[in-house]
Amino acid sequence: MRSFKTLSYTAGAALLLAAQPAVGQDAAEKPFDGVYVGGSIGYSVQNNDVGEGVQFDRDLNGTFGDTVVNAGGANVFGLRTMGAFDGGFCNGVANGNNLAAGCSNDSDDVEYYGRLGYDKQFGHLVVGALVEFGKSNVSDSVTAYTTTPAAYQFTRDLDWNASLRGRLGYAVKKTLFYGTGGATYGKIDSSFFTTNAVNAFDDRGSDTSWGFQVGGGLEQKIGKKFSIGVEYLYTRFTEDDYLVRASRGTAPVNHPFVLGNAMGTDFQRTDSNFDFHSLRATIAYRF
């Protein structure tokens, strides 16, 4: 009886010892499995919004696309043939109070984000999801000029955004190639500036917006817990409810902004998309 017990214990110990390398090997074959925390730092670059301008609703019927004219019927945002008092539109920040002064380009800048995620690895296939919070310092402007002359500048900045994205990847040993996409929600600071000192201006609209993100990247495991990587991401928000109303103020009663409706004229950007491309360096700690 004692020999049988001894044999049983010996066999059990042998099986346990044999199983340990297998467990360790199984864990080593799934380096991208589990919960992780991390962050990213990168640079945001905007699209070149060539052709963007400002549109008008001069009769306040809710439909934009009206032409703002003076008492003589001339388009006050139209070009004159010559001179420094040309009207029109340019993409960027106003350099003066007429189109001849031009505009400075939109501002591209750094971004930084923190993230929490979970991945499940099935052989080479990796499926997961992550939440992310942070901000990009991009700034997007467009300017309209009247022949008065005067400048009317719209600017939007991203104060912060939170995202929920899925990940789908293919792992080769300790290297993961993946695609990612999902929804993002952000606070957008929209502002208005003008060199016009005679009319009154009031702005309104929501300061938050939904959008989407899509991209991909590479993650490289270094050690048992840490990984580093590079990631590309495209982000787009839709901001279509920010309006500015120009009312009479101290201007004469036949001012172009009150000719269509005595209450004034509404201004809005022609491009409602606030989008940018990001190239990031990432780091993660996996539990």
Side-chain angles (χ1 to χ4, degrees):
M1 179 66 79
R2 181 178 299 177
S3 299
F4 179 77
K5 289 184 177 179
T6 303
L7 182 60
S8 299
Y9 292 150
T10 303
L15 288 172
L16 181 61
L17 289 172
Q20 285 181 345
V23 171
Q25 183 179 3
D26 186 61
E29 291 175 350
K30 295 184 178 181
F32 299 101
D33 196 279
V35 177
Y36 64 90
V37 294
S40 68
I41 185 168
Y43 198 76
S44 304
V45 178
Q46 296 180 76
N47 291 325
N48 188 358
D49 300 328
V50 176
E52 184 182 10
V54 177
Q55 55 188 351
F56 310 97
D57 175 15
R58 67 189 300 259
D59 52 8
L60 303 184
N61 68 351
T63 302
F64 286 83
D66 298 335
T67 300
V68 180
V69 298
N70 59 23
N75 181 1
V76 298
F77 287 94
L79 295 173
R80 293 187 179 183
T81 55
M82 295 183 64
F85 303 110
D86 291 349
F89 311 98
C90 68
N91 176 41
V93 177
N95 291 333
N97 66 348
N98 58 74
L99 187 61
C103 292
S104 298
N105 289 333
D106 290 334
S107 176
D108 301 325
D109 213 326
V110 298
E111 60 171 56
Y112 38 89
Y113 289 85
R115 60 177 63 178
L116 171 66
Y118 176 79
D119 289 326
K120 187 65 178 176
Q121 185 168 352
F122 305 93
H124 291 293
L125 182 66
V126 177
V127 180
L130 64 94
V131 291
E132 188 174 65
F133 181 84
K135 72 169 296 179
S136 170
N137 290 298
V138 292
S139 182
D140 178 23
S141 299
V142 64
T143 303
Y145 292 103
T146 56
T147 55
T148 314
Y152 306 83
Q153 175 186 303
F154 287 76
T155 299
R156 51 194 175 199
D157 304 287
L158 184 60
D159 190 26
W160 55 260
N161 68 296
S163 307
L164 174 62
R165 298 197 305 273
R167 291 212 313 176
L168 179 62
Y170 186 85
V172 181
K173 296 183 179 180
K174 294 186 177 182
T175 304
L176 174 66
F177 303 89
Y178 66 88
T180 182
T184 184
Y185 182 75
K187 184 178 186 300
I188 299 175
D189 292 332
S190 296
S191 60
F192 176 77
F193 165 79
T194 180
T195 60
N196 178 335
V198 296
N199 293 102
F201 297 89
D202 295 298
D203 63 343
R204 64 188 187 277
S206 173
D207 61 353
T208 56
S209 177
W210 283 97
F212 71 88
Q213 294 180 315
V214 64
L218 179 150
E219 186 176 343
Q220 178 66 48
K221 205 71 178 292
I222 50 173
K224 293 182 179 180
K225 298 294 185 180
F226 286 96
S227 63
I228 57 175
V230 292
E231 184 176 78
Y232 162 78
L233 201 65
Y234 173 72
T235 302
R236 174 185 285 186
F237 292 96
T238 300
E239 184 221 20
D240 56 5
D241 63 351
Y242 181 73
L243 308 175
V244 172
R245 176 164 297 181
S247 54
R248 179 184 171 188
T250 60
V253 294
N254 65 343
H255 190 279
F257 292 158
V258 293
L259 279 179
N261 188 311
M263 297 293 292
T265 296
D266 280 349
F267 294 24
Q268 186 181 55
R269 301 177 70 136
T270 57
D271 189 356
S272 61
N273 293 325
F274 184 19
D275 55 353
F276 52 92
H277 305 267
S278 303
L279 186 61
R280 305 165 158 187
T282 65
I283 187 169
Y285 177 86
R286 195 173 294 270
F287 295 95

